[in-house]
Amino acid sequence: PRNSDSFDFANYHPINEIYAFQDMLVAENPNLVSKIVIGQSYQGRDLNVLKFSTGGTNRPAIWIDTGIHSREWVTQASGTWFAKKIVTEYGRDPALTAILDKMDIFLEIVTNPDGYYYTHNSNRMWRKTRKPNSGSNCVGVDPNRNWDAGFGGPGASGNPCSETYRGPRAHSESEVKSIVDFVKSHRNFKAFISIHSYSQMLLYPYGYTRTPVKDQAELHSLAKKAITDLASLYGTRYRYGSIINTIYQASGGTIDWTYNQGIKYSYTFELRDTGRYGFVLPANQIIPTAKETWLALMAIMDHTFKNPY
Amino acid sequence: KETFEGHQVLRIVAKDEGQLSLIKALEDMSEFELDFWRGVTDVSTPVDIRVPFHSLQSVKIHLEGQDIEYSVMIEDLQAMLDKEQEEMVSAARRPE
């Protein structure tokens, strides 16, 4: 594609094409979008974050990431669509415009680039990072069990061959540590949304403990609003609740850490499940998935904007 | 490149908590080399498991022996991945 308008959002793309798209978006919108490299993956790929900002210094911010589990291709594809949506709707959609006039949005589309590359070239079903584990032939860590929130507790595996291997220590994966360092140094994130697929859920902390978060009532009611907005487009039904009550106990998870860092509006999505394809969601489902998810994202971002803390 | 010829994805539905525990126990049966696409949650939520071809018969016999209901969500995973790849290639050629 010559420009981001002609990028084919209705198909899956290898990492080089997504990275080229990001650069195009930055070049086309220099006053709104910039690219920050927050670190390198184990294999040396840049960890790119798109920053959408209309100015100001260290404004309150919203984080969105997609693709931390590499085989969940609809998430990276949706993230690409979100990026374009933000630039096209700024100045048109009053709610998004109001948000961006006061806050920044950070979007990491390919959160696990080594894994994503591997899904395109070696193993379509790869989920973890690609760092070797000493003393084991099995490669990789589940980056959604690697965070310092109940790390090592139930709901994660100590076996390097498991799909939910937590890693040798919290933040052992550069893909995780880079976000940790960035969030800590920024110190002004107000919402953090981590996007997975598939099973149609919108979840809030905690996953590692049954103790409810102190903001449970507000997070629950906002989740309900978000999934109601999502369903208004195609009728897609989501479940919602805390991770431990809605799925199962999972320790070392992303949003448990972000919530414990003081980011109240911490959510994780599980995108579409048609009941037929699992991780191999057909490409014609990308745009409908992204469109309906955008409505839920807007609900969370708008609430964050209107309820400063 | 790893292929998934003959791998199936089974959608399993537990009737009760007892069956749920039996499905959960499959996670520890490393000899089957199962890949849980959707893990065990509650009775009302299906569990999806990718089963390699070499384990299909054993896993199905195991489930049927426990009277656990399942259906085949994906008949041949590799066929689906081949289709996905074809679509990507043809989409990439389209602008030319």
PDB file of all heavy atoms in Angstrom, chain A residues 23 25 27 31 80 84 103 128 140 170-171 198-199 207 211 218 232 234 236 259 269 287 296 309:
ATOM      1  N   ASP A  23       4.681   2.967  10.493  1.00  0.00           N
ATOM      2  CA  ASP A  23       5.535   4.067  10.042  1.00  0.00           C
ATOM      3  C   ASP A  23       4.782   5.000   9.094  1.00  0.00           C
ATOM      4  O   ASP A  23       4.960   6.223   9.138  1.00  0.00           O
ATOM      5  CB  ASP A  23       6.801   3.517   9.370  1.00  0.00           C
ATOM      6  CG  ASP A  23       7.731   2.851  10.396  1.00  0.00           C
ATOM      7  OD1 ASP A  23       7.631   3.198  11.588  1.00  0.00           O
ATOM      8  OD2 ASP A  23       8.517   1.976  10.006  1.00  0.00           O
ATOM      9  N   LEU A  25       1.556   5.549   9.145  1.00  0.00           N
ATOM     10  CA  LEU A  25       0.589   6.309   9.944  1.00  0.00           C
ATOM     11  C   LEU A  25       1.276   7.484  10.633  1.00  0.00           C
ATOM     12  O   LEU A  25       0.723   8.588  10.700  1.00  0.00           O
ATOM     13  CB  LEU A  25      -0.051   5.377  10.986  1.00  0.00           C
ATOM     14  CG  LEU A  25      -1.425   5.761  11.492  1.00  0.00           C
ATOM     15  CD1 LEU A  25      -2.474   5.696  10.386  1.00  0.00           C
ATOM     16  CD2 LEU A  25      -1.850   4.867  12.660  1.00  0.00           C
ATOM     17  N   ALA A  27       4.070   8.956   9.570  1.00  0.00           N
ATOM     18  CA  ALA A  27       4.478   9.923   8.542  1.00  0.00           C
ATOM     19  C   ALA A  27       3.292  10.760   8.062  1.00  0.00           C
ATOM     20  O   ALA A  27       3.433  11.951   7.776  1.00  0.00           O
ATOM     21  CB  ALA A  27       5.111   9.176   7.367  1.00  0.00           C
ATOM     22  N   ASN A  31       1.446  15.338  13.501  1.00  0.00           N
ATOM     23  CA  ASN A  31       1.002  16.130  14.649  1.00  0.00           C
ATOM     24  C   ASN A  31       0.128  15.349  15.619  1.00  0.00           C
ATOM     25  O   ASN A  31      -0.316  15.875  16.637  1.00  0.00           O
ATOM     26  CB  ASN A  31       0.227  17.363  14.170  1.00  0.00           C
ATOM     27  CG  ASN A  31       1.132  18.281  13.380  1.00  0.00           C
ATOM     28  OD1 ASN A  31       2.302  18.436  13.705  1.00  0.00           O
ATOM     29  ND2 ASN A  31       0.594  18.845  12.310  1.00  0.00           N
ATOM     30  N   THR A  80      -4.401  -2.861  14.547  1.00  0.00           N
ATOM     31  CA  THR A  80      -4.065  -2.075  13.364  1.00  0.00           C
ATOM     32  C   THR A  80      -5.266  -1.209  12.954  1.00  0.00           C
ATOM     33  O   THR A  80      -5.130  -0.015  12.653  1.00  0.00           O
ATOM     34  CB  THR A  80      -3.671  -3.032  12.210  1.00  0.00           C
ATOM     35  OG1 THR A  80      -2.734  -3.982  12.717  1.00  0.00           O
ATOM     36  CG2 THR A  80      -3.053  -2.291  11.054  1.00  0.00           C
ATOM     37  N   LYS A  84      -5.820   3.153  12.892  1.00  0.00           N
ATOM     38  CA  LYS A  84      -6.372   3.962  11.794  1.00  0.00           C
ATOM     39  C   LYS A  84      -7.645   4.675  12.255  1.00  0.00           C
ATOM     40  O   LYS A  84      -7.891   5.840  11.900  1.00  0.00           O
ATOM     41  CB  LYS A  84      -6.652   3.043  10.597  1.00  0.00           C
ATOM     42  CG  LYS A  84      -7.179   3.753   9.372  1.00  0.00           C
ATOM     43  CD  LYS A  84      -6.163   4.704   8.767  1.00  0.00           C
ATOM     44  CE  LYS A  84      -6.714   5.375   7.528  1.00  0.00           C
ATOM     45  NZ  LYS A  84      -5.790   6.432   7.043  1.00  0.00           N
ATOM     46  N   MET A 103      -6.011  13.798  26.886  1.00  0.00           N
ATOM     47  CA  MET A 103      -5.258  12.587  27.272  1.00  0.00           C
ATOM     48  C   MET A 103      -4.486  12.052  26.065  1.00  0.00           C
ATOM     49  O   MET A 103      -4.800  12.372  24.929  1.00  0.00           O
ATOM     50  CB  MET A 103      -6.216  11.489  27.768  1.00  0.00           C
ATOM     51  CG  MET A 103      -7.112  11.896  28.911  1.00  0.00           C
ATOM     52  SD  MET A 103      -8.211  10.559  29.438  1.00  0.00           S
ATOM     53  CE  MET A 103      -7.107   9.587  30.457  1.00  0.00           C
ATOM     54  N   LYS A 128       3.633 -18.237  23.101  1.00  0.00           N
ATOM     55  CA  LYS A 128       4.541 -17.654  24.105  1.00  0.00           C
ATOM     56  C   LYS A 128       5.599 -16.752  23.458  1.00  0.00           C
ATOM     57  O   LYS A 128       5.572 -16.469  22.282  1.00  0.00           O
ATOM     58  CB  LYS A 128       5.225 -18.791  24.866  1.00  0.00           C
ATOM     59  CG  LYS A 128       4.249 -19.711  25.593  1.00  0.00           C
ATOM     60  CD  LYS A 128       4.943 -20.694  26.519  1.00  0.00           C
ATOM     61  CE  LYS A 128       5.626 -21.824  25.809  1.00  0.00           C
ATOM     62  NZ  LYS A 128       6.227 -22.805  26.749  1.00  0.00           N
ATOM     63  N   GLY A 140      10.275 -20.490  25.391  1.00  0.00           N
ATOM     64  CA  GLY A 140       9.270 -19.461  25.587  1.00  0.00           C
ATOM     65  C   GLY A 140       8.580 -19.446  26.934  1.00  0.00           C
ATOM     66  O   GLY A 140       8.541 -20.437  27.671  1.00  0.00           O
ATOM     67  N   ALA A 170       9.653 -13.021  37.809  1.00  0.00           N
ATOM     68  CA  ALA A 170       8.746 -11.988  37.297  1.00  0.00           C
ATOM     69  C   ALA A 170       9.520 -11.020  36.399  1.00  0.00           C
ATOM     70  O   ALA A 170      10.665 -10.665  36.700  1.00  0.00           O
ATOM     71  CB  ALA A 170       8.106 -11.234  38.449  1.00  0.00           C
ATOM     72  N   HIS A 171       8.902 -10.647  35.301  1.00  0.00           N
ATOM     73  CA  HIS A 171       9.454  -9.679  34.340  1.00  0.00           C
ATOM     74  C   HIS A 171      10.744 -10.188  33.702  1.00  0.00           C
ATOM     75  O   HIS A 171      11.606  -9.403  33.303  1.00  0.00           O
ATOM     76  CB  HIS A 171       9.700  -8.305  34.989  1.00  0.00           C
ATOM     77  CG  HIS A 171       8.485  -7.752  35.703  1.00  0.00           C
ATOM     78  ND1 HIS A 171       8.524  -6.688  36.573  1.00  0.00           N
ATOM     79  CD2 HIS A 171       7.182  -8.139  35.668  1.00  0.00           C
ATOM     80  CE1 HIS A 171       7.312  -6.440  37.049  1.00  0.00           C
ATOM     81  NE2 HIS A 171       6.479  -7.318  36.521  1.00  0.00           N
ATOM     82  N   TYR A 198      -9.677 -16.030  22.380  1.00  0.00           N
ATOM     83  CA  TYR A 198     -11.035 -15.798  22.002  1.00  0.00           C
ATOM     84  C   TYR A 198     -11.912 -16.403  23.091  1.00  0.00           C
ATOM     85  O   TYR A 198     -11.571 -17.452  23.605  1.00  0.00           O
ATOM     86  CB  TYR A 198     -11.335 -16.504  20.652  1.00  0.00           C
ATOM     87  CG  TYR A 198     -11.226 -18.035  20.717  1.00  0.00           C
ATOM     88  CD1 TYR A 198     -12.353 -18.853  20.953  1.00  0.00           C
ATOM     89  CD2 TYR A 198      -9.991 -18.670  20.587  1.00  0.00           C
ATOM     90  CE1 TYR A 198     -12.224 -20.238  21.032  1.00  0.00           C
ATOM     91  CE2 TYR A 198      -9.872 -20.053  20.654  1.00  0.00           C
ATOM     92  CZ  TYR A 198     -10.996 -20.829  20.874  1.00  0.00           C
ATOM     93  OH  TYR A 198     -10.867 -22.203  20.957  1.00  0.00           O
ATOM     94  N   SER A 199     -12.966 -15.819  23.432  1.00  0.00           N
ATOM     95  CA  SER A 199     -14.030 -16.409  24.257  1.00  0.00           C
ATOM     96  C   SER A 199     -15.017 -15.352  24.722  1.00  0.00           C
ATOM     97  O   SER A 199     -15.851 -15.621  25.570  1.00  0.00           O
ATOM     98  CB  SER A 199     -13.503 -17.211  25.450  1.00  0.00           C
ATOM     99  OG  SER A 199     -12.545 -16.495  26.177  1.00  0.00           O
ATOM    100  N   GLY A 207      -6.913 -11.875  39.019  1.00  0.00           N
ATOM    101  CA  GLY A 207      -6.850 -13.254  38.581  1.00  0.00           C
ATOM    102  C   GLY A 207      -6.130 -14.127  39.586  1.00  0.00           C
ATOM    103  O   GLY A 207      -6.366 -15.336  39.648  1.00  0.00           O
ATOM    104  N   THR A 211      -9.703 -12.129  46.520  1.00  0.00           N
ATOM    105  CA  THR A 211      -9.989 -10.843  47.154  1.00  0.00           C
ATOM    106  C   THR A 211     -10.464  -9.850  46.089  1.00  0.00           C
ATOM    107  O   THR A 211      -9.757  -9.617  45.104  1.00  0.00           O
ATOM    108  CB  THR A 211      -8.707 -10.271  47.805  1.00  0.00           C
ATOM    109  OG1 THR A 211      -8.185 -11.257  48.681  1.00  0.00           O
ATOM    110  CG2 THR A 211      -9.011  -8.991  48.562  1.00  0.00           C
ATOM    111  N   GLU A 218     -17.409  -0.291  40.612  1.00  0.00           N
ATOM    112  CA  GLU A 218     -17.286   0.614  39.460  1.00  0.00           C
ATOM    113  C   GLU A 218     -16.792  -0.143  38.219  1.00  0.00           C
ATOM    114  O   GLU A 218     -17.313   0.048  37.115  1.00  0.00           O
ATOM    115  CB  GLU A 218     -16.316   1.759  39.796  1.00  0.00           C
ATOM    116  CG  GLU A 218     -16.234   2.784  38.677  1.00  0.00           C
ATOM    117  CD  GLU A 218     -15.231   3.907  38.976  1.00  0.00           C
ATOM    118  OE1 GLU A 218     -14.611   3.895  40.058  1.00  0.00           O
ATOM    119  OE2 GLU A 218     -15.066   4.770  38.097  1.00  0.00           O
ATOM    120  N   SER A 232     -24.343  -3.734  20.826  1.00  0.00           N
ATOM    121  CA  SER A 232     -25.311  -2.936  20.065  1.00  0.00           C
ATOM    122  C   SER A 232     -25.060  -3.013  18.558  1.00  0.00           C
ATOM    123  O   SER A 232     -25.958  -2.753  17.764  1.00  0.00           O
ATOM    124  CB  SER A 232     -25.266  -1.476  20.523  1.00  0.00           C
ATOM    125  OG  SER A 232     -24.045  -0.881  20.130  1.00  0.00           O
ATOM    126  N   TYR A 234     -23.607  -5.834  16.543  1.00  0.00           N
ATOM    127  CA  TYR A 234     -23.965  -7.101  15.887  1.00  0.00           C
ATOM    128  C   TYR A 234     -24.640  -8.087  16.841  1.00  0.00           C
ATOM    129  O   TYR A 234     -24.846  -9.243  16.485  1.00  0.00           O
ATOM    130  CB  TYR A 234     -22.719  -7.790  15.314  1.00  0.00           C
ATOM    131  CG  TYR A 234     -21.939  -6.948  14.342  1.00  0.00           C
ATOM    132  CD1 TYR A 234     -20.671  -6.462  14.669  1.00  0.00           C
ATOM    133  CD2 TYR A 234     -22.451  -6.652  13.084  1.00  0.00           C
ATOM    134  CE1 TYR A 234     -19.937  -5.702  13.777  1.00  0.00           C
ATOM    135  CE2 TYR A 234     -21.727  -5.886  12.180  1.00  0.00           C
ATOM    136  CZ  TYR A 234     -20.477  -5.417  12.535  1.00  0.00           C
ATOM    137  OH  TYR A 234     -19.763  -4.655  11.649  1.00  0.00           O
ATOM    138  N   THR A 236     -23.232  -9.356  19.495  1.00  0.00           N
ATOM    139  CA  THR A 236     -22.247 -10.289  20.069  1.00  0.00           C
ATOM    140  C   THR A 236     -22.327 -10.234  21.595  1.00  0.00           C
ATOM    141  O   THR A 236     -22.257  -9.161  22.194  1.00  0.00           O
ATOM    142  CB  THR A 236     -20.827  -9.903  19.610  1.00  0.00           C
ATOM    143  OG1 THR A 236     -20.835  -9.770  18.193  1.00  0.00           O
ATOM    144  CG2 THR A 236     -19.816 -10.956  20.020  1.00  0.00           C
ATOM    145  N   TYR A 259      -3.216  -2.931  37.840  1.00  0.00           N
ATOM    146  CA  TYR A 259      -4.137  -2.437  38.882  1.00  0.00           C
ATOM    147  C   TYR A 259      -3.356  -2.163  40.171  1.00  0.00           C
ATOM    148  O   TYR A 259      -3.566  -1.136  40.825  1.00  0.00           O
ATOM    149  CB  TYR A 259      -5.258  -3.456  39.137  1.00  0.00           C
ATOM    150  CG  TYR A 259      -6.281  -2.932  40.120  1.00  0.00           C
ATOM    151  CD1 TYR A 259      -7.325  -2.114  39.702  1.00  0.00           C
ATOM    152  CD2 TYR A 259      -6.172  -3.207  41.488  1.00  0.00           C
ATOM    153  CE1 TYR A 259      -8.242  -1.601  40.600  1.00  0.00           C
ATOM    154  CE2 TYR A 259      -7.077  -2.697  42.398  1.00  0.00           C
ATOM    155  CZ  TYR A 259      -8.116  -1.893  41.944  1.00  0.00           C
ATOM    156  OH  TYR A 259      -9.019  -1.373  42.845  1.00  0.00           O
ATOM    157  N   PHE A 269      -9.582  -7.969  27.471  1.00  0.00           N
ATOM    158  CA  PHE A 269     -10.621  -8.497  26.582  1.00  0.00           C
ATOM    159  C   PHE A 269     -10.247  -9.883  26.092  1.00  0.00           C
ATOM    160  O   PHE A 269      -9.074 -10.195  25.896  1.00  0.00           O
ATOM    161  CB  PHE A 269     -10.732  -7.632  25.323  1.00  0.00           C
ATOM    162  CG  PHE A 269     -11.584  -6.412  25.449  1.00  0.00           C
ATOM    163  CD1 PHE A 269     -11.043  -5.216  25.894  1.00  0.00           C
ATOM    164  CD2 PHE A 269     -12.925  -6.449  25.098  1.00  0.00           C
ATOM    165  CE1 PHE A 269     -11.819  -4.078  25.979  1.00  0.00           C
ATOM    166  CE2 PHE A 269     -13.704  -5.315  25.191  1.00  0.00           C
ATOM    167  CZ  PHE A 269     -13.163  -4.125  25.626  1.00  0.00           C
ATOM    168  N   ILE A 287     -12.748  -7.021  10.620  1.00  0.00           N
ATOM    169  CA  ILE A 287     -13.341  -5.673  10.746  1.00  0.00           C
ATOM    170  C   ILE A 287     -14.580  -5.687  11.648  1.00  0.00           C
ATOM    171  O   ILE A 287     -14.699  -4.824  12.528  1.00  0.00           O
ATOM    172  CB  ILE A 287     -13.589  -5.055   9.351  1.00  0.00           C
ATOM    173  CG1 ILE A 287     -12.226  -4.781   8.705  1.00  0.00           C
ATOM    174  CG2 ILE A 287     -14.398  -3.760   9.462  1.00  0.00           C
ATOM    175  CD1 ILE A 287     -12.277  -4.222   7.302  1.00  0.00           C
ATOM    176  N   ALA A 296     -16.685  -0.835  22.784  1.00  0.00           N
ATOM    177  CA  ALA A 296     -16.385  -1.118  24.196  1.00  0.00           C
ATOM    178  C   ALA A 296     -15.167  -0.318  24.650  1.00  0.00           C
ATOM    179  O   ALA A 296     -15.140   0.215  25.774  1.00  0.00           O
ATOM    180  CB  ALA A 296     -16.145  -2.613  24.389  1.00  0.00           C
ATOM    181  N   TYR A 309      -9.004  10.659  38.420  1.00  0.00           N
ATOM    182  CA  TYR A 309      -8.663  10.272  39.805  1.00  0.00           C
ATOM    183  C   TYR A 309      -7.200  10.513  40.048  1.00  0.00           C
ATOM    184  O   TYR A 309      -6.445  10.745  39.096  1.00  0.00           O
ATOM    185  CB  TYR A 309      -9.046   8.809  40.069  1.00  0.00           C
ATOM    186  CG  TYR A 309      -8.299   7.790  39.231  1.00  0.00           C
ATOM    187  CD1 TYR A 309      -7.111   7.188  39.683  1.00  0.00           C
ATOM    188  CD2 TYR A 309      -8.755   7.425  37.968  1.00  0.00           C
ATOM    189  CE1 TYR A 309      -6.431   6.259  38.906  1.00  0.00           C
ATOM    190  CE2 TYR A 309      -8.090   6.503  37.193  1.00  0.00           C
ATOM    191  CZ  TYR A 309      -6.925   5.915  37.668  1.00  0.00           C
ATOM    192  OH  TYR A 309      -6.240   4.991  36.901  1.00  0.00           O
TER     193      TYR A 309
END
